[in-house]
Amino acid sequence: MAPENHEGPTSLLQSFERRFLAARALPTFPWQTVKHPVCVQHLPSVKYARCFLSKLIKKHEAVPTEPLDALYEALAEVLMAKESTQCHRSYLLPSGDSVTLSESTAIVSHGTTGLVTWDAALYLAEWAIENPATFTDRTVLELGSGAGLTGLAICKACYPRAFIFSDCHDQVLEQLRGNVLLNGFPLELHTPTDPSSPKVTVAELDWDEVTASQLSAFQADVVIAADVLYCGEVTLSLVRVLKMLSDCQRKNAPDVYVSYTIRSQDTGKLFITELDRAGIYWEELPPHASKLFPYEEYSAIVILKLVLNGCHSVGK
């Protein structure tokens, strides 16, 4: 992973701003935080804001300087606020725009982990922003979209012709539709007001029940997935879907990119074994240069590019 650049006050503030808006751990404490315009409009977790302000006040009180009433007033507001099971996280894009998501405050809720953003989604979004031509003017299908970070970043930064978010969990789909609308993209049959804006769809897609005709109907040029290899059953289902795509779009098979965090030796081993068994060629993409989003710097995250039609000899 490329570490965040902390040289100079400008990069320090940018790094801090990105980490604060995404509600990540903060190594240092520059200025604009809970009163940031994005934060005022889309409130972060009450617990996160309370912990942040308490720690910031302790840091401030530890140096010989005048007390800042604004800090204590902000903390008082947060202490009076009610906790919620939902919060907002915002991720800044190089253009100055941002992706804001409503997410669960718990890693697991409603029986799923799909209501929060995972590191591999951030990593894949970074790669996409560095490689916009992969998505520009193309139809993109995302498998297991979760909270929607990767897809929304691609929609805002890479100008696809159409983007299809998909998932199978009712609560995830409801939150996902809300996040798409929150970021200014109309859904389904509505015509985008901005002609450069992609047509965006949210589809219910159960990997164990989807048919070849359903997949073919999407006419995807690119297929992506991030952090969906969290158990053996899901991995096998994913390979089944990819094999189905390979068979039903043999003449125009989509480019496929799968990003995942290596949490154990078995995380990617089964996936690669099943890809080989299905005759799907793959290659690991080299790490990209920039780090735009806050995630664990030492996370082991990889992106595999898959070739579904078997026409290319890809190094393994």
Side-chain angles (χ1 to χ4, degrees), residues 27-272:
T28 52
F29 297 94
W31 322 172
Q32 194 175 25
T33 54
V34 292
K35 297 302 181 181
H36 191 288
V38 173
C39 190
V40 170
Q41 186 176 4
H42 304 293
L43 298 177
S45 157
V46 170
K47 180 180 178 181
Y48 178 81
R50 183 173 63 244
C51 291
F52 165 77
L53 285 169
S54 297
K55 194 167 185 180
L56 181 57
I57 287 172
K58 287 181 180 179
K59 293 280 186 179
H60 185 71
E61 290 176 342
V63 296
T65 185
E66 291 292 323
L68 292 176
D69 291 341
L71 283 178
Y72 297 96
E73 291 169 1
L75 180 59
E77 290 179 13
V78 170
L79 291 174
M80 294 176 63
K82 292 183 178 180
E83 294 278 2
S84 173
T85 58
Q86 291 290 118
C87 67
H88 289 99
R89 296 174 186 262
S90 297
Y91 301 88
L92 299 180
L93 302 177
S95 63
D97 198 356
S98 63
V99 172
T100 294
L101 304 175
S102 174
E103 298 187 11
S104 172
T105 54
I107 293 177
V108 180
S109 59
H110 300 278
T112 180
T113 58
L115 295 169
V116 296
T117 298
W118 294 90
D119 285 356
L122 296 166
Y123 190 71
L124 183 57
E126 286 179 340
W127 181 87
I129 291 170
E130 277 195 0
N131 298 273
T134 302
F135 306 95
T136 300
D137 201 30
R138 306 182 81 189
T139 296
V140 184
L141 168 64
E142 182 175 19
L143 301 173
S145 298
L149 181 279
T150 305
L152 288 166
I154 289 172
C155 286
K156 290 194 173 191
C158 302
Y159 308 104
R161 178 172 61 252
F163 197 99
I164 303 137
F165 296 86
S166 74
D167 217 291
C168 66
H169 192 282
D170 290 342
Q171 197 71 25
V172 173
L173 288 167
E174 180 181 343
Q175 179 181 272
L176 184 55
R177 292 187 186 100
N179 282 337
V180 170
L181 295 172
L182 180 63
N183 284 273
F185 294 103
L187 279 172
E188 313 295 352
L189 301 178
H190 298 286
T191 303
T193 54
D194 183 352
S196 65
S197 182
K199 178 183 177 183
V200 176
T201 306
V202 175
E204 182 176 359
L205 198 65
D206 188 323
W207 298 352
D208 293 326
E209 298 179 2
V210 66
T211 64
S213 59
Q214 288 174 314
L215 290 173
S216 181
F218 291 129
Q219 290 297 297
D221 302 304
V222 184
V223 175
I224 63 171
D227 255 343
V228 295
L229 306 182
Y230 50 84
C231 74
E233 290 182 1
V234 172
T235 299
L236 294 175
S237 295
L238 175 60
V239 175
R240 172 184 169 272
V241 170
L242 296 174
K243 178 61 176 173
M244 200 181 300
L245 274 168
S246 177
D247 293 340
C248 70
Q249 291 187 222
R250 188 167 294 276
K251 292 184 179 180
N252 58 341
D255 300 327
V256 180
Y257 300 90
V258 179
S259 175
Y260 58 90
T261 304
I262 302 175
R263 297 184 175 87
S264 71
Q265 292 182 347
D266 297 330
T267 299
K269 187 176 180 180
L270 175 62
F271 184 50
I272 289 170

